[in-house]
Amino acid sequence: MRTGCRKGCERGLTWIKPSILWMMYRCGWGSKEGQETVLAVEITREGFEWALRHACHSHYARGLHENQAAWKQELKRAPARVQWDPERDLRLRPLPYRTLQLGLSGEAARRHADEWTVAIRNVTPLVHEVHALVRGGDLDSAARLPPQESFYTGQDELIAHLQG
């Protein structure tokens, strides 16, 4: 799992970004001001699933919520929120499917820091190496360097209330 708070993020939220390429899109390959260091933060699956179970959709979605007032109440009490953004390819172009971003506050942010974090690694040199290969047109080599990611499957009940 990758975490970080993108520039301009909501105050008090820590964002889990499980996709390295989506993270690279947001931080400009570690070149945006204030985002020059890229850390890979590994958290437990149990923690990630706790956050999903206690999350609310970050935006009002007609049909997913009873009404806007009910969504606002749910958002106030939820320690986590989810938004779905287009996944990215190596050139950071949007792909036709979405990836989950999970914002943590309150109890979820505390658990993330105190209980769920297993390891933290500075991956800035890796990010720069992948970016250099992409810029040079060597997409095959660039694709081999980042950690392999897979779709999160088999847990549809955990995210059913977050799709819409």
Side-chain angles (χ1 to χ4, degrees), residues 48 52 82 84 100 152 155-164:
F48 183 69
L52 287 176
V82 164
W84 297 91
L100 175 138
Y152 184 73
Q155 302 294 327
D156 292 342
E157 72 278 357
L158 285 176
I159 61 171
H161 69 289
L162 301 171
Q163 296 177 324

Side-chain angles (χ1 to χ4, degrees), residues 29-164:
W29 295 102
S31 66
K32 289 185 180 176
E33 184 180 342
Q35 299 181 51
E36 295 90 352
T37 301
V38 181
L39 302 176
V41 180
E42 183 180 343
I43 66 170
T44 65
R45 184 178 186 108
E46 293 78 20
F48 183 69
E49 290 178 352
W50 184 95
L52 287 176
R53 278 193 297 281
H54 294 86
C56 171
H57 203 278
S58 66
H59 299 94
Y60 172 72
R62 188 182 313 268
L64 185 61
H65 306 99
E66 181 182 336
N67 55 47
Q68 237 177 348
W71 165 73
K72 284 182 182 180
Q73 282 298 98
E74 184 180 356
L75 191 62
K76 275 185 185 178
R77 69 171 175 67
R81 61 187 63 179
V82 164
Q83 63 187 46
W84 297 91
D85 296 305
E87 181 55 274
R88 302 290 166 162
D89 67 11
L90 277 168
R91 296 194 186 274
L92 305 184
R93 298 174 300 206
L95 293 170
Y97 55 93
R98 295 189 171 270
T99 190
L100 175 138
Q101 313 304 318
L102 186 59
L104 308 176
S105 66
E107 181 182 3
R110 183 196 56 75
R111 286 177 177 236
H112 176 266
D114 297 340
E115 301 170 19
W116 303 340
T117 299
V118 175
I120 301 173
R121 292 180 321 280
N122 182 348
V123 294
T124 307
L126 171 68
V127 166
H128 292 163
E129 184 179 358
V130 172
H131 188 215
L133 289 167
V134 170
R135 279 194 324 258
D138 190 354
L139 297 182
D140 290 336
S141 295
R144 286 192 289 272
L145 291 179
Q148 292 300 307
E149 298 175 338
S150 59
F151 289 101
Y152 184 73
T153 60
Q155 302 294 327
D156 292 342
E157 72 278 357
L158 285 176
I159 61 171
H161 69 289
L162 301 171
Q163 296 177 324

